[in-house]
Amino acid sequence: MYAVEVERLTKIYGKGETTVTAIADATLRVKPGELVAILGPSGSGKTTLLTSIGLINEPTHGRVIIDDTTVADEGWLPGLDLKRIRREKLGFIFQAHNLIPFLTAQENVMVALEINNLTRNNAKVRATELLNSLNLGHRLGSYPSVLSGGEAQRVAIARALANRPKVILADEPTAALDTENGKNVMNLLKKLAVENRSAILVVTHDHRMVEGFDRIFHVSDGRITNEKQRVEAGGTHGLG
Amino acid sequence: MNLALRDIRYHRGRFILTAIGLGLLIGVVISMGGIYRGLFADALAVFDSTKADIWVVQQETNGPFAENSRIPEDIKYRIQAVPGVAEASPLSFQTIQIERLGKPFRFFLIGYDPNGFGGPPEIIAGRNIRQKHYEMVVAEAMGKELGEKIHLGLNDYTVVGITGKVVSSGGDPAAYVSLADAQEIQFKKDNNAIRNDRERIAANLAGLQTLSPTQSKFLQQNITGITESTHTVNTIVARLAPGADLREVQERISRWNHFRPISAEEQTRILTKGMIEKARMQLGLFRLILLVISAVIISLIIYTSTIDKIKVIATLKLIGAQNRVIIGMILQQSLLMGVIAYAIGYVLILLTYEKFPRRIVLEAFDLQALFVIVIAICTISSFVGIRKALKVEPAEALGG
């Protein structure tokens, strides 16, 4: 059983002669608890792949299955509540943390829980637990504007984890952080993948950040060109 | 979690300033409505206070408030004799401008028969006029004290009573004197003027060849009576006996030459439709323009605020927020802004309306209607922001 299955996924932008194939024939499978990196240069199609898995970008062709639910098969399946699936099964982490500026750290986590119909008290308890576990107990009432980059990204991770999603999609989560904070965030994701049994897909262009990842997919010109097994410090085991 | 309130809490400075600005605008709209109602109240103040059923005025005129009407005072006896008339009383009106504290000050002088009706509707200090001459009752807005003397015409008049908010249709405060005094103020000339008049009339009579010597002598001897008659009034007001037929009484008086009986209903129409119609329309148009401006401002505020929150909205959509969460956030902010701005405008006018130079009448219906209009404007204005928000793609949350 896989948390994410992508089969021959293709995304084409535009029509007629002005079409651009952002991703072509991409196939990948990620198990629960696996930490996977999608690595590639800017414009290679890695974010398009991530957003297609994240139910944001409708695939032109191919199939996407999230937690045993087929969501796309030559386009979105009709009658599917994409928002509900995003709410219940997916968690997102962004390059620029994307915390809501007028909510405190605690409220930023609570909002994801309340949107998913958790009562305010339960949401408060869960948000506090999560933020405490990420060493942000002292920042519950702080607004994003006063948090450091690393703290803000940890709050964003707490928000992504709030509804115990099956899949966490992270788009360049370390891009706005210095190396040390970036490594801390990646270590945190590794830990969470194991603890929560969530499949974590991280899009990044920074090779230094993928140490300890279970697998790496290299994307170039819209195609997955290479897949590597566990990445330990100092080397990788190539599969293709 | 109420996102609208959280956003307002975070941006409270900006929100409060915007609400104050909008509140001032709504305050102007409320005051315009109050002035509009005040125009009616002012126009009808003297008319209402007489409680007359019929106003007898000069033929082919629209009565003393609209144009010049002059009729002899003694016609009141004839009117009193008409079947169905319970009482009749003469009234005279004139606008007087005096100097007060170095500035021109206008007031509306009403002459009435102290034994008849049409005098001050209430006395809030002092007493009513008791003597035939040199006593005066003034409206509060005149700013006069009891016992104060005002020089009018050839004489001084003592303020013996203060009445409430009685003003002319032009908004000038009213003052009451006896009819005899009012006529004297209006028509009595100083000695030089009287001598001049007499000489001019005597010269005219001497030049008339058609008069016999006896007639000429008689007229010369009675010049004083001709030149000094002041027994002219602007209207005779009449009240009907219970059960009397208004139309019948009007028809009877209409048959006489030189007079026009105007019913209270007609007089109201002349005052409200004729005299203040343009001012009313202008105020109405001004209110409408201000409401449109308010609507445009609220729309712009909501739209700008939505544009500021594009990333927030995209993030909310990405984490699975339902449309109702986003619509609720925008709509609630818009409504809250409207309600708070309305409250600011209302309190502002409530605290200041008595200081306005013209009467402002705040009627509950007007205030409620404006509140509903403000809520409707806020709701409709928020559609602009909501439309924009619903078009935001979750993908906009991605990237730096």
Side-chain angles (χ1 to χ4, degrees):
Chain A
M1 182 189 157
Y2 294 98
V4 178
E5 290 181 73
V6 174
E7 285 174 19
R8 302 182 64 81
L9 187 139
T10 300
K11 175 68 189 178
I12 301 168
Y13 289 108
K15 282 181 182 171
E17 290 179 5
T18 56
T19 56
V20 175
T21 305
I23 195 90
D25 271 338
T27 297
L28 62 87
R29 289 182 182 83
V30 185
K31 288 179 193 160
E34 249 192 320
L35 180 62
V36 168
I38 300 170
L39 206 62
S42 286
S44 59
K46 55 189 189 303
T47 298
T48 303
L49 179 61
L50 192 83
T51 51
S52 294
I53 297 168
L55 315 187
I56 298 165
N57 244 330
E58 186 174 11
T60 313
H61 301 294
R63 222 145 67 105
V64 178
I65 302 165
I66 305 285
D67 192 29
D68 276 345
T69 307
T70 304
V71 291
D73 193 353
E74 303 300 305
W76 301 133
L77 284 190
L80 214 59
D81 186 351
L82 297 178
K83 278 185 182 171
R84 191 181 58 80
I85 296 170
R86 275 208 301 269
R87 215 162 45 225
E88 292 174 357
K89 294 183 188 290
L90 302 177
F92 292 89
I93 301 166
F94 311 94
Q95 180 180 331
H97 63 73
N98 277 30
L99 295 178
I100 296 171
F102 52 82
L103 299 181
T104 62
Q106 189 183 41
E107 288 167 345
N108 261 289
V109 181
M110 282 171 68
V111 75
L113 293 158
E114 287 188 29
I115 281 170
N116 205 19
N117 298 323
L118 208 69
T119 61
R120 177 165 302 181
N121 283 341
N122 289 342
K124 200 168 187 173
V125 171
R126 168 91 176 129
T128 310
E129 269 173 22
L130 273 167
L131 290 168
N132 280 333
S133 70
L134 296 172
N135 295 325
L136 286 166
H138 63 296
R139 289 299 210 175
L140 296 180
S142 301
Y143 285 102
S145 57
V146 297
L147 297 176
S148 69
E151 285 175 329
Q153 200 58 295
R154 275 186 283 154
V155 176
I157 291 169
R159 183 176 64 187
L161 292 170
N163 289 311
R164 298 186 174 87
K166 298 287 181 191
V167 181
I168 292 176
L169 304 169
D171 183 27
E172 304 274 9
T174 58
L177 303 176
D178 57 45
T179 311
E180 193 188 334
N181 270 316
K183 283 193 171 164
N184 289 341
V185 166
M186 286 304 192
N187 288 334
L188 184 61
L189 290 175
K190 281 176 224 162
K191 188 172 152 233
L192 293 171
V194 175
E195 282 177 9
N196 294 353
R197 299 281 299 150
S198 300
I200 303 184
L201 279 82
V202 180
V203 160
T204 182
H205 63 275
D206 191 347
H207 292 78
R208 293 171 302 168
M209 293 295 171
V210 296
E211 198 177 280
F213 274 52
D214 296 317
R215 278 187 295 157
I216 299 172
F217 292 92
H218 281 271
V219 181
S220 178
D221 294 332
R223 291 182 180 274
I224 295 176
T225 55
N226 194 7
E227 183 185 338
K228 288 172 185 167
Q229 287 288 16
R230 174 173 284 282
V231 185
E232 300 295 353
T236 58
H237 305 284
L239 284 180
Chain B
M1 183 184 304
N2 191 311
L3 293 174
L5 285 179
R6 297 291 195 286
D7 188 19
I8 291 169
R9 181 187 64 185
Y10 188 72
H11 295 112
R12 56 185 169 274
R14 188 172 73 178
F15 183 84
I16 290 167
L17 277 177
T18 312
I20 288 174
L22 208 55
L24 292 174
L25 198 61
I26 290 173
V28 176
V29 178
I30 293 174
S31 69
M32 283 291 139
I35 293 170
Y36 174 86
R37 293 285 177 194
L39 272 182
F40 273 89
D42 284 354
L44 297 174
V46 174
F47 164 77
D48 281 343
S49 70
T50 60
K51 294 183 172 59
D53 298 309
I54 293 178
W55 294 65
V56 180
V57 300
Q58 188 179 326
Q59 199 174 34
E60 290 170 1
T61 70
N62 280 315
F65 301 114
E67 54 189 304
N68 208 1
S69 158
R70 285 190 173 187
I71 57 173
E73 181 189 341
D74 57 10
I75 200 73
K76 76 172 178 187
Y77 300 111
R78 224 173 140 189
I79 293 167
Q80 265 168 354
V82 172
V85 172
E87 52 181 333
S89 193
L91 289 176
S92 85
F93 305 105
Q94 53 190 308
T95 299
I96 289 180
Q97 185 167 310
I98 56 170
E99 195 88 359
R100 199 174 73 169
L101 303 170
K103 287 181 182 173
F105 179 76
R106 281 161 64 90
F107 65 96
F108 190 61
L109 189 72
I110 301 167
Y112 75 104
D113 180 356
N115 297 316
F117 64 98
E122 56 171 347
I123 297 292
I124 57 173
R127 60 169 175 80
N128 216 327
I129 292 170
R130 282 190 201 139
Q131 292 179 24
K132 196 178 176 185
H133 287 294
Y134 312 126
E135 287 190 346
M136 195 177 204
V137 170
V138 298
E140 232 181 333
M142 287 272 286
K144 295 285 175 191
E145 302 286 330
L146 289 175
E148 208 173 319
K149 288 191 189 310
I150 301 173
H151 186 79
L152 298 172
L154 304 175
N155 301 297
D156 286 337
Y157 295 83
T158 307
V159 176
V160 296
I162 308 285
T163 186
K165 284 181 180 174
V166 187
V167 291
S168 71
S169 57
D172 300 319
Y176 291 85
V177 291
S178 70
L179 183 67
D181 282 348
Q183 287 167 329
E184 214 172 286
I185 292 164
Q186 199 167 6
F187 303 115
K188 194 90 177 181
K189 296 165 181 170
D190 66 22
N191 292 341
N192 286 334
I194 291 168
R195 271 196 293 274
N196 282 344
D197 275 356
R198 280 182 197 162
E199 280 169 22
R200 195 176 65 250
I201 291 167
N204 286 342
L205 289 174
L208 287 174
Q209 301 298 320
T210 49
L211 293 176
S212 66
T214 319
Q215 286 173 319
S216 185
K217 192 181 169 191
F218 176 79
L219 286 171
Q220 294 276 3
Q221 285 167 350
N222 289 284
I223 279 175
T224 313
I226 297 167
T227 54
E228 289 182 24
S229 171
T230 59
H231 297 289
T232 303
V233 295
N234 300 115
T235 183
I236 307 279
V237 284
R239 286 177 184 160
L240 298 184
D245 185 349
L246 172 71
R247 282 200 176 282
E248 211 172 287
V249 174
Q250 274 186 292
E251 268 173 27
R252 273 176 183 273
I253 298 172
S254 296
R255 285 202 288 268
W256 306 343
N257 286 335
H258 316 302
F259 303 108
R260 178 188 174 195
I262 301 174
S263 69
E265 195 185 325
E266 286 168 324
Q267 188 66 273
T268 306
R269 203 164 42 242
I270 290 166
L271 281 163
T272 55
K273 293 285 175 191
M275 294 174 62
I276 59 169
E277 181 68 3
K278 277 188 181 163
R280 192 182 69 85
M281 282 174 70
Q282 199 156 348
L283 280 173
L285 195 66
F286 198 33
R287 282 180 90 188
L288 188 71
I289 291 168
L290 284 173
L291 282 173
V292 171
I293 292 170
S294 307
V296 170
I297 290 174
I298 294 171
S299 299
L300 276 174
I301 291 166
I302 297 300
Y303 185 74
T304 315
S305 149
T306 308
I307 295 288
D308 285 349
K309 284 200 280 282
I310 290 289
K311 194 122 186 169
V312 168
I313 291 165
T315 305
L316 285 169
K317 284 188 169 187
L318 193 63
I319 63 174
Q322 301 89 336
N323 281 344
R324 66 178 158 80
V325 173
I326 291 154
I327 293 171
M329 178 174 69
I330 296 169
L331 186 62
Q332 283 167 18
Q333 273 189 2
S334 182
L335 290 175
L336 261 171
M337 179 163 294
V339 169
I340 291 171
Y342 180 88
I344 290 170
Y346 174 69
V347 170
L348 184 78
I349 296 304
L350 206 64
L351 293 174
T352 57
Y353 80 105
E354 288 201 328
K355 293 181 173 61
F356 276 63
R358 280 208 73 138
R359 186 189 326 214
I360 291 200
V361 177
L362 299 175
E363 287 200 358
F365 173 78
D366 290 352
L367 294 169
Q368 286 159 6
L370 183 64
F371 182 74
V372 171
I373 290 169
V374 168
I375 294 300
I377 286 175
C378 289
T379 308
I380 295 164
S381 300
S382 67
F383 290 165
V384 186
I386 288 169
R387 194 163 165 266
K388 178 75 187 166
L390 292 181
K391 281 184 177 175
V392 173
E393 290 293 331
E396 289 181 53
L398 302 172

